[in-house]
Each structure stands twice: as C-alpha cells, then as structure tokens.
Amino acid sequence: NLVELQYKLSFKLAGDDWLAAVNKVDTGEAIIREVVELTNSAGYVPWWSKAESQLDKENCKLEIVDIFHFLMQGLLQETYASYFEEYGIELLLTKEHEEEYLINPVAERITEAFGSTRDLSEYKEFDDEEISPRDQAKLFLGSYLLVGPSGSLSDFALMCRAFNLSSAQLRTFYLAKNALNQFRKENNYKGDIEGAMPYKKIWHDGKEDNYFVMEHANLVAESEEECTIESFKSSIESFYQFYCSENTNELLLGDTTSDTADIQPNTFDPV
C-alpha cells in the first residue's frame, strides 16, 4: 500500500506532529518547488537558449514521483483535518483508525482518480498534444492551490499520462524513491546523527544518488519485474558502497523480485 508507505515515511522524515502541523510541514510549498523543477525539465522556456530548453524525460519522471510523495502527504493531512473539523477531536492514531480513517480513504481516492482519467493509449508522442505536458503540470499546480489535494488528483493523473508515465511505472519509481529516502535518513542525510559520517549525495561523475537509483528503477520497470521497498534498499546499499568508496569491484544490483501482486500498466491501485 503506497499510501501506508508514505504515511510511515512522513513520520520518519517530518516528525511525529506532521499530520496536524499543516503550516509547519507545508506540502503546498514543496509541490510548487517540485512542479517548477518539472516544468524546467520539460523543456521550452521562451527566454532560455535552445541548449537550455532540452527535454529531460528521465528527470521529469523523478520530479513527478517527488510530487506524488508530497501529494499523498497532503491528502493524508487533509483527511486528518476533515476528521477533526467534523468531530471536534483529534483522531486517535491506533492501527485500526489509521487504516479506516486515513490510509484506506486516501488510497480509494487515488484509485478513483486514475480510473476516471483518459487511458494512456490516447496519448501520442510526448510533445505532440493539444495541451503540452508542461502546461498540464501547471494545470495540476493550479488545481492543487485552488481546491486542495483531493480536488487536484484528476489533474495529477492526467499529468502522469501527459508525460507518458504509466501507473505501473509510477508505482515502481515511487518504491525506489521511498527506499532512497529511507536509506538517506538511516545514513545521516541531514547530518544530525552525532559521530556518524555525513551522507554523500553525489555518487559518481558529479551525478546525484537520484540519477543512479532512477536509472536502476527504469531497468526494473522495463523488465516488468515485481519489486519491493526491501529489494530497492538492497540495491541502493550496493550502489552506495560501490560509488562512495574506493572499491572498484563489480556492482551488485541485488534482488529486485518479490511476491507482490502483478500490476497492470493502465490501472492504478495504491493498495
């Protein structure tokens, strides 16, 4: 369940009070920044040179996954706030209440949004649309800011379609990025673990960890292999040991298979 994974990750990265601290954990600002990065990667900025305006498909995928991360976080915050407004009390976060009132309702909304939008097959080439992928990203951002996380879900699904990112790919890439975020946290990414070496974000040839993890996730997605957080974390640890040490032995990619259910490319169920 991707929503449950995001729910747990947010506690690790944003602290115990992230659900109620909407102003402290400003998902809206985070999404604005990610959409700006997405539109920059999508190419064609009128005042840029031709060289600067090149389309970077791979980075576009990464930015959409980052947006998805914050969108799910915003949906969980929104759902929590609506419960508080309706009942006047804070939700008791037992395992049962988490699933019934937060995780499952958010997962159902995401599934519904992806099911109600146009099929991926209706799209042609990446940049051959009446509404360009870049403009669709701006439409999503506008709807998020105007009507909030739930109201922007359909536009997010359309944005994924516009960038030729299938729901199966989104799921695979999200698992990879979630695993990377956990690995960063465990390896002193913020430098807040006293006595521990700081995390090295630049792995090789001036490229960040994102580049290598997404490159690996692309191979997994293309092979249609099943994958888990654990398999990606194993691969990331191997990458990190290889690129961030003097060891030049052949990189071990780790096991990218699991017993998870098959995921169809044009359907999306975050559970």
Side-chain angles (χ1 to χ4, degrees):
N1 187 323
L2 300 191
V3 179
E4 184 175 7
L5 290 173
Q6 182 58 47
Y7 179 77
K8 292 178 179 178
L9 181 66
S10 294
F11 278 105
K12 289 183 180 180
L13 301 184
D16 292 340
D17 61 347
W18 70 272
L19 263 176
V22 177
N23 293 326
K24 182 178 179 181
V25 186
D26 193 341
T27 54
E29 181 179 352
I31 284 178
I32 290 171
R33 293 178 183 274
E34 298 297 345
V35 171
V36 169
E37 293 180 12
L38 172 60
T39 56
N40 288 346
S41 296
Y44 185 65
V45 178
W47 53 90
W48 285 4
S49 68
K50 184 176 181 180
E52 291 174 314
S53 295
Q54 294 300 308
L55 170 66
D56 186 344
K57 289 186 179 181
E58 297 310 309
N59 199 60
C60 286
K61 295 174 184 177
L62 173 61
E63 301 303 342
I64 291 174
V65 171
D66 286 343
I67 291 168
F68 190 43
H69 164 108
F70 290 113
L71 178 57
M72 282 195 287
Q73 184 165 290
L75 285 162
L76 286 163
Q77 287 178 316
E78 179 186 65
T79 305
Y80 182 87
S82 66
Y83 182 91
F84 179 81
E85 290 172 3
E86 182 174 353
Y87 297 102
I89 57 174
E90 291 193 5
L91 179 63
L92 180 62
L93 294 178
T94 64
K95 177 67 175 177
E96 181 181 352
H97 284 145
E98 288 172 352
E99 293 181 354
E100 182 178 356
Y101 296 108
L102 290 176
I103 295 169
N104 292 343
V106 170
E108 289 168 6
R109 282 188 221 124
I110 294 172
T111 301
E112 181 181 358
F114 273 78
S116 65
T117 54
R118 289 173 291 171
D119 189 89
L120 181 63
S121 62
E122 292 187 21
Y123 286 86
K124 300 177 183 177
E125 294 299 321
F126 186 90
D127 57 353
D128 185 24
E129 296 296 327
E130 293 182 6
I131 298 179
S132 70
R134 191 168 183 272
D135 286 339
Q136 184 61 52
K138 290 186 283 186
L139 286 173
F140 158 72
L141 177 59
S143 66
Y144 184 93
L145 296 176
L146 286 172
V147 295
S150 292
S152 66
L153 270 172
S154 292
D155 279 313
F156 176 77
L158 285 172
M159 181 178 71
C160 291
R161 305 297 205 267
F163 279 92
N164 286 341
L165 182 63
S166 73
S167 52
Q169 289 174 318
L170 178 63
R171 185 183 184 91
T172 298
F173 298 154
Y174 174 81
L175 290 174
K177 188 58 188 283
N178 184 298
L180 177 60
N181 284 334
Q182 290 190 49
F183 184 80
R184 286 172 170 177
K185 175 68 173 178
E186 294 163 3
N187 288 272
N188 205 23
Y189 181 68
K190 291 186 176 181
D192 54 0
I193 303 176
E194 188 175 350
M197 291 290 292
Y199 180 78
K200 296 179 181 180
K201 191 175 181 180
I202 304 299
W203 283 8
H204 178 67
D205 197 26
K207 294 183 175 66
E208 293 186 357
D209 49 7
N210 277 318
Y211 172 85
F212 296 98
V213 172
M214 291 301 291
E215 188 176 60
H216 176 54
N218 264 314
L219 293 176
V220 174
E222 288 172 4
S223 69
E224 298 184 354
E225 292 180 351
E226 297 169 355
C227 53
T228 65
I229 290 284
E230 289 72 24
S231 64
F232 276 121
K233 286 184 74 173
S234 175
S235 297
I236 290 167
E237 185 174 0
S238 295
F239 279 125
Y240 193 69
Q241 290 175 354
F242 180 81
Y243 284 117
C244 298
S245 71
E246 297 180 357
N247 181 12
T248 56
N249 292 331
E250 183 177 355
L251 178 63
L252 298 175
L253 292 179
D255 180 21
T256 57
T257 62
S258 73
D259 294 329
T260 54
D262 291 337
I263 304 167
Q264 299 302 316
N266 289 322
T267 61
F268 187 45
D269 184 351
V271 175

